[in-house]
Amino acid sequence: MLKTVSALFIPGGLVFCAALGFLRPHGSPPWAQTPISALPPIVLGFGVLFGWYVSSSRLILSLLVLALADRGLLLFPPIDPDPASMGPTVFAATAFLLPLNLLALSLVRDEALSTWRGIVRLAPILAQPFLVLWLSLPDQADLARALRQPLLPASLTAWSQVTQPALLAFLGALAMIGVRFACERNPLDAGALWALTASFTALHGLQYGWTPTNFFSAAGLILFLTLVQASHERAYRDELTGLLGKQAYEEALAGLGAKYTVAIVGLDQLKQYGNQHGKPVSEQLLRLVAPKIQAAAGQGQVYRLAGEEITILFPRKTATDTLVTLEAIRKAVDQFEGYVRGERVWEGSRSGTETLPLTASIGVAEAGTGKSSLSLVIKAAYRALYEAKGAGGNVVRRGTVAGEIAKPARAETGRIVAYSEFDA
């Protein structure tokens, strides 16, 4: 629960609260006004560059949507006293389209803007300013009036200048992205929620004299920071299970001393369930079991590198030191109760479902002498894992690291024996 709340509020919630404190009128001291005025171009520039670098059309197009909304409100203010002003129509159309655009961009698969899909997404966004201007023409007054048409009793929305169709669009977008975040806990969805909140504040605050540019900039900053956070997590964490990933594993290996233990955890029935029910079922099982392995691992560093096995490093530990922990992991997996209906997997009993029992085979090996290479220790752990599976599974087996023996080169060739030619 705490991790979910933290993922929701950091960094998006913190940035939004800071914006409420400092970006509203008289919210910041005079010396801070100049840096604050530089915030919009900085956010837009750095956001576009970073989005291009990481091939995120979602960030680039979201920043474009926010920038167009801001320019539209500044060029056509809704409080213009001129009866023929385009301001009210531009405001109503912008407030209605903004949440729909941010919702759509949060749902599509992210990829480079230079791809044909990125260009297809760019085209309707660039067309929307012309659509809004067309709606503002006197001949389209009846159509534009529909954007301000009350759908509920006026007393329910009297607190906001935002039109009722736009309010419903914001509520619908918040609800859909909120449900997706609750299911997947993706930081990008949390960022989209806070960006929508900041965008609504930009629109709603106009009636109080608040500058919309500041809060649109805050929305862009939230999207930028959450993409940075998500990119970091993708680099260091496995996307499926949330465990530490390959890059974190390689950095940990660089810091290993002469004394350490490696354990490989394999789920005995996972491949069988994948063949029987499909890959999505085996992936869901792995996602559900991974936190239990993480919780039972204690001081062990848990990684998923690829495939169905999970690797655990125990720095400065012997294999004997880790046996109690590995037995706890085995029991945690054995106590897991999985159920499947179709391609959906749950933990816990549900009527009309098929039971999916799971057990774990674990192979463990240590660098006991300090002369064994890491590759030999890992090979020994895998050999022990295969022995555990061959013995029926649901057991911990300890492997022995063989000594390194070099193959001598022929004297007449004079070639150097490569490391790969050493036998385990």
Side-chain angles (χ1 to χ4, degrees):
M1 181 63 180
L2 182 60
K3 290 180 65 175
T4 302
V5 173
S6 175
L8 177 61
F9 282 92
I10 299 175
L14 296 180
V15 173
F16 177 71
C17 291
L20 284 179
F22 293 100
L23 299 184
R24 57 188 174 82
H26 313 298
S28 56
W31 59 265
Q33 296 300 320
T34 300
I36 289 176
S37 64
L39 180 63
I42 290 175
V43 170
L44 182 62
F46 275 92
V48 170
L49 288 175
F50 185 76
W52 190 270
Y53 177 74
V54 299
S55 300
S56 175
S57 61
R58 176 189 297 179
L59 176 62
I60 297 174
L61 295 179
S62 296
L63 291 173
L64 177 60
V65 167
L66 294 171
L68 290 174
D70 177 59
R71 292 301 94 185
L73 296 180
L74 293 180
L75 292 175
F76 305 98
I79 55 175
D80 193 334
D82 185 359
S85 171
M86 299 165 59
T89 299
V90 171
F91 177 79
T94 299
F96 181 74
L97 291 172
L98 178 59
L100 299 182
N101 281 314
L102 293 180
L103 171 63
L105 291 171
S106 72
L107 296 178
V108 297
R109 180 180 177 182
D110 206 1
E111 55 188 314
L113 186 60
S114 56
T115 63
W116 70 270
R117 286 192 183 90
I119 296 173
V120 168
R121 295 169 191 170
L122 175 63
I125 292 176
L126 294 179
Q128 287 177 30
F130 299 99
L131 173 63
V132 173
L133 292 176
W134 177 75
L135 286 173
S136 302
L137 296 176
D139 295 342
Q140 309 302 325
D142 293 339
L143 185 59
R145 197 174 296 115
L147 294 172
R148 302 189 295 271
Q149 185 68 32
L151 304 175
L152 300 170
S155 59
L156 296 177
T157 59
W159 52 274
S160 177
Q161 185 185 13
V162 179
T163 60
Q164 289 190 4
L167 282 174
L168 292 176
F170 268 103
L171 289 175
L174 286 169
M176 291 185 66
I177 298 176
V179 169
R180 180 170 171 172
F181 172 78
C183 295
E184 301 182 5
R185 299 181 186 177
N186 189 329
L188 294 177
D189 292 329
L193 285 172
W194 288 109
L196 279 168
T197 304
S199 300
F200 177 77
T201 305
L203 297 169
H204 180 72
L206 282 170
Q207 61 186 326
Y208 304 113
W210 295 14
T211 303
T213 303
N214 290 338
F215 286 93
F216 283 134
S217 300
L221 180 60
I222 290 170
L223 294 173
F224 168 67
L225 292 178
T226 51
L227 179 59
V228 172
Q229 180 187 25
S231 299
H232 179 271
E233 288 190 2
R234 280 197 295 266
Y236 281 86
R237 292 197 174 272
D238 173 57
E239 188 173 356
L240 175 65
T241 62
L243 300 175
L244 292 172
K246 187 172 183 179
Q247 186 164 338
Y249 175 72
E250 292 176 349
E251 291 184 4
L253 294 183
L256 282 178
K259 180 181 178 182
Y260 59 88
T261 294
V262 177
I264 309 296
V265 181
L267 302 178
D268 297 322
Q269 299 83 4
L270 202 60
K271 183 174 291 186
Q272 171 192 336
Y273 293 150
N275 294 333
Q276 183 178 352
H277 299 283
K279 187 177 179 181
V281 168
S282 62
E283 289 181 342
Q284 291 175 72
L285 283 170
L286 188 57
R287 185 188 299 121
L288 290 171
V289 173
K292 301 183 181 303
I293 296 175
Q294 175 83 69
Q299 296 180 353
Q301 301 169 4
V302 185
Y303 305 88
R304 179 178 181 250
L305 308 181
E308 301 170 356
E309 287 82 27
I310 291 175
T311 301
I312 308 178
L313 295 180
F314 295 92
R316 299 176 299 278
K317 297 285 186 181
T318 66
T320 302
D321 296 334
T322 67
L323 291 179
V324 173
T325 299
L326 297 178
E327 183 64 17
I329 292 174
R330 186 195 65 78
K331 291 180 178 178
V333 175
D334 191 34
Q335 293 169 2
F336 171 81
E337 294 183 347
Y339 298 84
V340 63
R341 178 188 295 166
E343 290 190 349
R344 180 70 186 276
V345 178
W346 295 271
E347 180 181 3
S349 177
R350 288 175 180 265
S351 61
T353 57
E354 178 185 346
T355 304
L356 299 179
L358 275 178
T359 57
S361 295
I362 305 175
V364 58
E366 65 175 279
T369 64
K371 298 180 181 180
S372 303
S373 68
L374 175 64
S375 63
L376 291 175
V377 176
I378 293 175
K379 286 179 182 178
Y382 269 103
R383 281 198 299 267
L385 171 65
Y386 300 147
E387 290 174 4
K389 286 181 175 290
N394 198 21
V395 68
V396 179
R397 283 292 173 90
R398 180 175 176 176
T400 302
V401 179
E404 295 180 341
I405 303 175
K407 290 182 179 179
R410 294 182 181 178
E412 65 271 20
T413 63
R415 68 184 181 88
I416 299 175
V417 179
Y419 175 79
S420 60
E421 295 182 72
F422 284 81
D423 285 335

